[in-house]
Amino acid sequence: MIQSLIQHARLTQVTRRGILAGAGAGAAALALAACSTGGASARPTPAKDQSSTDKTLTWANWQAYLDQDDSGKYPTLEAFQKKSGLSVKYDVAVDDNNTYYAKVKDQLALGKDIGADTVCLTDWMIARLIRFGYVQSFDEAKIPNKKNLTPALANADFDPGRKKSLPWQSGFAGICWNKKKVPNGLKSIDDLWDSSLKGKVGVLSEMRDTMGLIMLQQGVDISKSFTDDQYMKAIDKLTKEVSDGQVRNIKGNSYLNDLKSGDTLAAICWSGDITQLNAEAGDNWEFALPEAGGTLWSDNFVIPIGSPRKANAEELINYYYEPAVAAEVAAWVNYITPVVGAKDEAVKIDPDLADNQLIFPDDTTLSNAHIFRSLTPAEEQKYQAAFQKVILGA
């Protein structure tokens, strides 16, 4: 089932931890401009690899996206450093695909070091970086554990054969609610618009998640061809709920703070976040895929064109494709691991992990998850602009 979903994963734009603050119209303008720039100029050349003499490495990633202990250390990363002899800086630098790209696009275009030797970004952004020639090709001999990549993810249309990218984690966007305040739970996106939740609903600042869920509720298959009118019908619905005061906030990562404080009681949200929220702040929230379906996304490792520590980055990527390591990460982040064999290893950590549908989804769960189809540059410009107008009016 997941194979049929992946076949539609063209330029999929799905973020889990995009922070709206600081993005605003500027980030939207950047996203639109990037649709039509970068490909025409001469492509930058890869940096000379200095890994043989430089035993350091910087990994840029999203917040709360790697196993962490009570002291703030990352156990699997600590083990990697001890095993490899490399010194790794784990940089929680990615707050949103667009805002991160805004910070590094000029250096990428010049082939300069962006301060990260590997970074994990979402499918649609990875497709852009590959299209513009902003990432390096892997030396596959240095990543033998690539053989553990789940077959369904092995041939993304933006990177056939996974020569330049490898998945880090995948996950769902769906709905969540406060179990004490909303005891009957939620089943659909329409349940968010119930009058009892007025002013207590949050939605994500990620266009393909929020709009994808609303479109699915309206009967649109977001993984296939849909029309401008169908998209704008969903925009009209969101605009109404915002203007009527039903929706309190449109946010990225900070939506979790609203759930904690009680400012929102229900939201469009990301799967792994809710498991972590329950672990941190009490078992008060529940996540579900709406009856009409949720969205499915992946984040991916790449090595930026200007990284002078390519072999070091490849050694790190290879390490995280060891099934036991992947299982340890998945047990903490609660997202879908792309590594074959991780499920068997997870059983050794906790047998219940293997039954967790947010980490190891079965065909029934996957059948209710949809990948937002690819957008043409013109569509991306039009759709993002319409969504941004709603954000600015919220």
Side-chain angles (χ1 to χ4, degrees):
M1 181 60 69
I2 192 170
Q3 179 64 57
S4 64
L5 295 173
I6 296 300
Q7 288 172 348
H8 296 291
R10 301 184 181 93
L11 308 184
T12 318
Q13 178 183 6
V14 195
T15 346
R16 346 20 14 282
R17 296 183 165 83
I19 297 177
L20 180 59
L30 167 68
L32 305 185
C35 295
S36 57
T37 61
S41 59
R43 289 177 173 244
T45 57
K48 182 179 179 180
D49 192 14
Q50 301 174 14
S51 296
S52 61
T53 57
D54 185 346
K55 297 302 180 180
T56 66
L57 169 66
T58 298
W59 175 12
N61 207 351
W62 306 76
Q63 179 184 354
Y65 217 19
L66 183 64
D67 55 299
Q68 192 169 10
D69 62 23
D70 293 339
S71 65
K73 294 183 178 181
Y74 305 100
T76 58
L77 192 57
E78 294 285 319
F80 170 74
Q81 292 181 90
K82 183 176 181 180
K83 176 181 179 181
S84 67
L86 297 174
S87 176
V88 182
K89 176 184 178 182
Y90 185 73
D91 188 10
V92 182
V94 184
D95 52 21
D96 173 271
N97 284 288
N98 277 323
T99 56
Y100 184 78
Y101 182 69
K103 292 184 287 187
V104 301
K105 66 185 182 71
D106 292 339
Q107 297 103 301
L108 288 170
L110 295 171
K112 302 296 185 181
D113 187 354
I114 65 170
D117 302 296
T118 187
V119 59
C120 297
L121 298 171
T122 310
D123 289 336
W124 69 273
M125 181 58 76
I126 296 299
R128 179 187 295 174
L129 298 183
I130 291 174
R131 187 167 69 249
F132 291 170
Y134 289 170
V135 300
Q136 302 189 45
S137 297
F138 294 140
D139 179 348
E140 298 197 19
K142 291 185 169 64
I143 313 179
N145 285 334
K146 180 183 174 182
K147 68 181 185 296
N148 296 326
L149 173 63
T150 188
L153 297 172
N155 282 293
D157 69 330
F158 55 82
D159 187 19
R162 291 291 186 175
K163 303 297 186 181
K164 299 180 179 182
S165 67
L166 278 170
W168 164 239
Q169 304 290 317
S170 302
F172 303 112
I175 51 178
C176 63
W177 61 93
N178 185 308
K179 293 186 290 186
K180 294 180 180 178
K181 302 294 184 179
V182 190
N184 293 328
L186 305 177
K187 294 183 179 180
S188 72
I189 291 297
D190 281 347
D191 289 342
L192 292 174
W193 319 138
D194 188 88
S195 59
S196 64
L197 292 174
K198 185 170 183 177
K200 293 291 186 178
V201 174
V203 301
L204 294 171
S205 59
E206 174 52 58
M207 182 266 283
R208 284 167 172 83
D209 281 334
T210 292
M211 299 312 301
L213 293 184
I214 294 174
M215 292 172 74
L216 286 166
Q217 181 63 43
Q218 294 179 342
V220 178
D221 185 345
I222 61 172
S223 68
K224 298 180 180 179
S225 179
F226 55 77
T227 66
D228 288 354
D229 287 344
Q230 288 174 313
Y231 179 85
M232 293 310 298
K233 181 181 178 182
I235 284 285
D236 290 343
K237 177 61 175 175
L238 180 60
T239 300
K240 178 182 184 302
E241 300 303 334
V242 169
S243 61
D244 288 351
Q246 185 74 18
V247 173
R248 181 185 183 94
N249 291 313
I250 304 177
K251 292 186 176 181
N253 186 55
S254 57
Y255 84 93
L256 292 171
N257 295 330
D258 293 339
L259 290 172
K260 287 180 184 178
S261 68
D263 285 348
T264 56
L265 300 180
I268 291 176
C269 59
W270 293 303
S271 53
D273 284 350
I274 303 308
T275 301
Q276 294 173 32
L277 180 62
N278 280 329
E280 295 170 4
D283 186 19
N284 295 320
W285 297 272
E286 188 162 345
F287 171 89
L289 293 179
E291 291 178 336
T295 59
L296 177 66
W297 46 263
S298 295
D299 287 331
N300 309 267
F301 283 112
V302 289
I303 300 174
I305 194 70
S307 166
R309 291 164 287 272
K310 177 173 176 283
N312 294 348
E314 290 165 336
E315 188 169 356
L316 176 85
I317 295 168
N318 185 66
Y319 169 77
Y320 277 98
Y321 266 72
E322 294 179 11
V325 176
E328 189 173 348
V329 172
W332 196 90
V333 302
N334 281 270
Y335 283 107
I336 303 169
T337 176
V339 178
V340 172
K343 185 174 182 177
D344 291 338
E345 294 295 332
V347 172
K348 300 175 184 177
I349 299 172
D350 180 353
D352 290 340
L353 285 174
D355 296 323
N356 188 330
Q357 290 299 299
L358 302 183
I359 304 175
F360 303 106
D362 58 24
D363 284 350
T364 299
T365 299
L366 289 170
S367 70
N368 202 31
H370 308 265
I371 295 174
F372 202 105
R373 72 162 173 85
S374 64
L375 298 178
T376 66
E379 287 175 327
E380 184 167 349
Q381 180 172 348
K382 184 186 305 180
Y383 295 170
Q384 186 64 46
F387 185 63
Q388 192 68 24
K389 285 181 66 177
V390 183
I391 289 178
L392 295 176

